[in-house]
Amino acid sequence: MRPSSSSLKTLLRRTSLMATNPSSPSSSLTQNGISILTDPSSPFTTGLSQRLANLAQQLRLYKPPPPFQDIEDEIEEQRREEGAEKVVSQVGFAESATTISNPERFKPRRAAVLVCLFEDGCGDLRVILTKRSSRMSTHSGEVSLPGGKADEGDVSDADTATREAKEEIGLDPSLVNVVTVLEPFLSKHLLRVIPVIGILSNKELFKPAPNAEEVEEIFDAPLEMFLKDENRRSEEKEWIGDKYLLHYFDFREGTKKFVIWGLTAGILIRAASVVYQRPPSFVEQMPKFRIPRLVTKDTIMP
């Protein structure tokens, strides 16, 4: 059963009050390499319904917590003062919520994923997801967001996310209004993953074309489900005395069942919290993981 649209409608009414006065001159800001217009009548919102335009305006004004590079000096000073081993986030947890051991030597590879939202016929927000091909060498058969590692030619995280989405599922970047980015997440393979939130103005124009080498299936799920305790389970883990919860969301579409967990679940919990402006109804219990003083490209967190 799909979630009620009442919470989304309330949110959009609230965000319409936050929108820039149309009579004011348009202004812009740059966030993580993305030029963001704060004028809701700008071409970047062309084609969006009024509800989605208001939501886009809210998300364009979102300011994520300082990412790793912005707090590197503070982290190093804390490390010197405390003389203690620092910690790193693990599967599906925001990098801004943890600290890094020896930041000069910790240089994670960069990647980006696309959190592509659209409005269904009931007025609810849904997010596009994929089931990875069983032929993939890593995370085969798992649910993920479209995305991948950055290429040298990518000028921004938005470029990486939309390019990968086109390669994986055939989503034309021109159909996506990129509105904001979230704080970086660290994967178990120490990839620095940047979630890029985009709005699909017309779902009917998207003709899914999965890359068979990478994607087995394309589907969508209600965004709000990642704030609810329904169809959710968790597993307690422990690493060097620190306990944390790994979240799993069970989702059914017809006769098909998908399990959304790990990094993907963590990113969607955060994205839903930002969009709906409220925390999840369950305890996240984020972990703290100690890492070796020297991290190599082959280091994998358990």
Side-chain angles (χ1 to χ4, degrees), residues 206-240:
F206 170 42
K207 307 300 181 184
N211 180 338
E213 294 297 318
E214 300 183 47
V215 176
E216 182 176 309
E217 195 160 357
I218 303 170
F219 67 101
D220 54 79
L223 180 65
E224 195 175 16
M225 69 175 277
F226 299 100
L227 295 180
K228 298 181 178 181
D229 207 18
E230 303 168 10
N231 303 314
R232 184 196 67 89
R233 51 197 167 89
S234 61
E235 181 181 2
E236 187 174 76
K237 296 281 189 175
E238 185 172 340
W239 172 244
I240 313 183

Side-chain angles (χ1 to χ4, degrees), residues 63-272:
K63 295 182 179 180
F68 170 61
Q69 66 265 29
D70 293 342
I71 59 172
E72 203 169 66
D73 293 340
E74 179 181 345
I75 291 173
E76 174 58 14
E77 182 162 345
Q78 289 177 355
R79 187 182 69 84
R80 288 197 303 266
E81 289 178 354
E82 297 172 7
E85 191 175 12
K86 292 300 178 182
V87 296
V88 63
S89 65
Q90 166 61 341
V91 186
F93 295 93
E95 182 179 318
S96 61
T98 63
T99 52
I100 306 297
S101 175
N102 210 337
E104 297 94 346
R105 286 185 283 182
F106 183 74
K107 300 296 181 183
R109 295 166 293 170
R110 197 176 187 92
V113 294
L114 181 64
V115 182
C116 188
L117 306 177
F118 67 92
E119 193 177 33
D120 67 11
C122 298
D124 297 321
L125 286 179
R126 299 181 72 85
V127 59
I128 296 175
L129 294 163
T130 70
K131 182 179 179 182
R132 290 168 62 89
S133 169
S134 57
R135 289 176 285 185
M136 296 292 289
S137 59
T138 59
H139 307 292
S140 60
E142 294 183 6
V143 172
S144 67
L145 290 157
K149 297 176 185 176
D151 282 351
E152 289 184 4
D154 295 336
V155 298
S156 68
D157 297 313
D159 276 356
T160 300
T162 54
R163 173 184 56 76
E164 286 283 341
K166 183 176 182 180
E167 293 175 4
E168 290 181 9
I169 64 174
L171 177 58
D172 188 337
S174 67
L175 299 178
V176 181
N177 291 272
V178 172
V179 289
T180 195
V181 296
L182 302 181
E183 62 268 33
F185 283 65
L186 290 176
S187 75
K188 66 181 295 182
H189 295 285
L190 302 186
L191 277 174
R192 188 166 188 255
V193 181
I194 314 297
V196 175
I197 297 184
I199 295 178
L200 186 60
S201 57
N202 189 338
K203 176 65 162 54
E204 299 305 314
L205 294 179
F206 170 42
K207 307 300 181 184
N211 180 338
E213 294 297 318
E214 300 183 47
V215 176
E216 182 176 309
E217 195 160 357
I218 303 170
F219 67 101
D220 54 79
L223 180 65
E224 195 175 16
M225 69 175 277
F226 299 100
L227 295 180
K228 298 181 178 181
D229 207 18
E230 303 168 10
N231 303 314
R232 184 196 67 89
R233 51 197 167 89
S234 61
E235 181 181 2
E236 187 174 76
K237 296 281 189 175
E238 185 172 340
W239 172 244
I240 313 183
D242 290 315
K243 294 182 179 181
Y244 70 98
L245 293 178
L246 195 62
H247 299 281
Y248 298 77
F249 292 88
D250 296 314
F251 175 66
R252 290 185 179 275
E253 186 175 58
T255 59
K256 298 177 181 179
K257 179 180 178 181
F258 301 95
V259 180
I260 306 162
W261 68 286
L263 177 66
T264 301
I267 289 174
L268 291 173
I269 291 171
R270 181 61 185 154

Side-chain angles (χ1 to χ4, degrees), residues 23-35:
S23 63
S24 302
S26 62
S27 58
S28 65
L29 56 91
T30 300
Q31 180 174 298
N32 285 29
I34 302 173
S35 179

Side-chain angles (χ1 to χ4, degrees), residues 285-296:
Q285 197 169 332
M286 297 174 66
K288 294 181 179 180
F289 286 93
R290 296 179 178 86
I291 63 171
R293 294 184 63 82
L294 180 62
V295 174
T296 71

